[in-house]
Amino acid sequence: MADPELTRRLRDYFNRQIPWLQTRVEEMRNLQARLDEQGLESVTETETRRQQEMAAFEEENRLLLREWSQSTAVSSSERAEIEALAERSQALGEELANLYDAAVAGMETQREDVRRSLGEVLRGRRTVRKYGNSESISDLGSDFLDRQV
């Protein structure tokens, strides 16, 4: 026999999850601004907390879904209402997943840019060290001509 409160609990679940997902979508859309304003450490802490919140939603969803799939005492209008909420939640979840994918791709690009820039800096440092150990051009006089160029 189905829990008479199942529809109410599912409605409550989705009425908490949907606004949470909307907030996450906005946070991910503004990720770069958040990084610029708050810094990496603060954003990382927030993301860790959000992952824990998401895990709690997933666990609650798993338990409610099991009850929902076994339930036979839910009216067709209640099923339609819950299915509409579930579809909205799923659409937001997919949008959030796409934003995460885009953020990962953007960060991969930034990582490669930093790696390339670091290589250029290291080459420049080696060049400076190589020429820094020789006599200073100013010590050679104003008539010095570097014939190795």
Side-chain angles (χ1 to χ4, degrees):
M1 175 152 175
D3 182 349
E5 295 290 314
L6 180 59
T7 303
R8 182 196 57 77
R9 289 186 299 133
L10 280 161
R11 189 180 302 119
D12 175 63
Y13 169 79
F14 285 118
N15 286 334
R16 287 181 291 114
Q17 186 192 46
I18 289 171
W20 185 87
L21 285 168
Q22 290 169 329
T23 299
R24 289 300 297 140
V25 165
E26 284 306 309
E27 286 175 344
M28 289 307 294
R29 283 184 182 150
N30 299 316
L31 179 62
Q32 189 59 54
R34 289 172 48 218
L35 285 168
D36 293 343
E37 291 171 11
Q38 301 170 6
L40 181 61
E41 187 174 322
S42 176
V43 171
T44 301
E45 289 172 5
T46 299
E47 291 302 311
T48 299
R49 194 171 52 255
R50 296 294 189 242
Q51 290 302 316
Q52 293 167 346
E53 292 167 356
M54 179 57 107
F57 273 120
E58 288 173 355
E59 178 63 17
E60 187 177 2
N61 181 281
R62 186 184 64 76
L63 296 171
L64 288 169
L65 182 60
R66 183 174 28 176
E67 285 184 61
W68 178 255
S69 63
Q70 294 172 357
S71 173
T72 57
V74 178
S75 72
S76 60
S77 64
E78 288 174 323
R79 278 201 185 275
E81 175 190 1
I82 297 303
E83 287 171 0
L85 289 170
E87 287 173 10
R88 175 71 178 132
S89 175
Q90 182 176 356
L92 285 167
E94 289 171 2
E95 184 176 358
L96 182 58
N98 291 337
L99 289 167
Y100 267 108
D101 291 344
V104 168
M107 289 186 186
E108 294 276 335
T109 300
Q110 286 180 348
R111 183 181 69 179
E112 289 305 314
D113 290 346
V114 168
R115 184 177 301 189
R116 196 173 17 263
S117 295
L118 180 59
E120 291 172 9
V121 168
L122 291 173
R123 281 190 298 280
R125 186 174 79 184
R126 282 192 297 268
T127 301
V128 167
R129 282 187 178 160
K130 178 180 173 184
Y131 289 108
N133 291 335
S134 63
E135 292 182 63
S136 170
I137 290 177
S138 62
D139 293 342
L140 298 174
S142 61
D143 60 342
F144 173 75
L145 178 63
D146 185 2
R147 299 201 184 272
Q148 293 183 6
V149 180

